[in-house]
Each structure stands twice: as structure tokens, then as C-alpha cells.
Amino acid sequence: MHSPFLSPAGAPIQPYCAGPDAVGRVEVFEEYAAGLEDLDGFERIWVLSWFHRAGAARLRVIPYLDSEERGVFATRAPARPNPIGISAVRLLRREGRWLHVAELDLVDGTPVLDLKPYATAFDSYPGSRQGWLENRGAGGGPADDRFTAGS
Ligand SMILES: C[S@@+](CC[C@H](N)C(=O)[O-])C[C@H]1O[C@@H](n2cnc3c(N)ncnc32)[C@H](O)[C@@H]1O
């Protein structure tokens, strides 16, 4: 991932609250480039990533958007046993094996594990229960260093 965010602190906490500067590129290695065919038609794509700069895994965390400890699997905290991220970013365009994306919440150099189309038919369940996130889906400033290695 090529991103304008050079460190976790300061990056948007999710794509939905990313500003206009959260634009970057996914570089797909040549040997996988043929698999990008037909992705262009999708407005959003799922980027599955590896939080390579996350700190040690924790099972209880205080997530962004809350002030209470929660079980890590009930959150999107990067410092998790398998530090895998899922980001529904906006696909601006494809140039060969490069995907230009907006609404990015990943830092520069983040390894990308997989790409999949975001499908409203499969991936959207409006009205679903939201647990502790109920009524907290909106808002949220940039991240701090709470889940970063060495912090
Ligand atoms: C709360 S996570 C959410 C990521 C993804 N949308 C998800 O739900 O899995 C987003 C934060 O992860 C941090 N982050 C992004 N890329 C990272 C990386 N490669 N290693 C560690 N932390 C990262 C940044 O602080 C960013 O604000």
C-alpha cells in the first residue's frame, strides 16, 4: 500500500471518516496483475491488510469511539492476535497493476493480503444491531499511537 499516512498516529480510524487527503495506491505485484481484470467496475473494494506496525496483541482494548475496555474481537483495533485489517476503500481508477483509491485508513507500506469487490448485495445489512457501537458510528478523529509498536 502506498499511502500519504507515514505512521498510524494521524491516520483516519476508518475509511468512512477519512478526509479528501486520504488518497493512495495499491501496488499489485506483476504475477497477480491478471486477477485485477473486471475489478474496475466496482466503486468500492475490500482491502485485506496486515497491520505490520501494530503493537503486541491485546485481548482487552479501549477502542477508538469508546472510553471503556472491550474484547479485541468486538473492535477493529490493530493490535490483535492476527493483525488483519479490512478496509472498504473507494476505487478511483485502475492503471494496469496500480489501483488508485480514496478513503484510505492504512499507513504507507502496509502489506495487502487480498482484494475483493465490495458488493452492496452481500456486504450491507442496514439496521443490524451494533453492540457497544450503537449510536457511535459517526464521528471519530484521527488515530493516536495506542496500538502502535514501540508506543
Ligand atoms: C482502527 S484501524 C481500522 C482498519 C480497518 N478499516 C479495519 O477495520 O480493520 C485503522 C487504524 O489502524 C492504524 N493502522 C493503519 N495501518 C496500519 C499498519 N500497517 N500497522 C499498524 N497500524 C496501522 C491507523 O492508526 C489507522 O487509523
Side-chain angles (χ1 to χ4, degrees), residues 1 3 5 7-17 46-55 63-64 75-80 83-89 103-111 141-149:
M1 177 59 68
S3 163
F5 305 112
S7 61
I13 60 168
Q14 287 289 342
Y16 83 90
C17 58
W46 288 110
V47 176
L48 281 81
S49 63
W50 189 259
F51 292 127
H52 69 312
R53 293 186 56 185
Y64 298 120
T75 77
R76 300 295 189 86
R80 50 202 311 123
I84 293 172
I86 51 168
S87 303
V89 303
E103 300 175 33
L104 189 57
D105 61 353
L106 301 172
V107 303
D108 194 49
T110 300
D144 53 36
D145 255 338
R146 75 182 76 176
F147 302 121
T148 308

Side-chain angles (χ1 to χ4, degrees), residues 39-122:
L39 194 60
D40 315 52
F42 291 87
E43 183 168 338
R44 279 189 187 269
I45 56 173
W46 288 110
V47 176
L48 281 81
S49 63
W50 189 259
F51 292 127
H52 69 312
R53 293 186 56 185
R58 289 178 229 163
L59 297 183
R60 306 272 307 163
V61 296
I62 298 178
Y64 298 120
L65 305 177
D66 202 10
S67 51
E68 281 179 44
E69 265 197 351
R70 306 286 178 185
V72 71
F73 299 125
T75 77
R76 300 295 189 86
R80 50 202 311 123
N82 284 312
I84 293 172
I86 51 168
S87 303
V89 303
R90 197 149 55 81
L91 178 58
L92 300 174
R93 67 181 190 285
R94 175 163 80 94
E95 266 178 36
R97 63 188 184 88
W98 293 84
L99 302 177
H100 296 258
V101 298
E103 300 175 33
L104 189 57
D105 61 353
L106 301 172
V107 303
D108 194 49
T110 300
V112 172
L113 302 176
D114 203 356
L115 302 165
K116 303 188 185 204
Y118 171 86
T120 48
F122 317 147

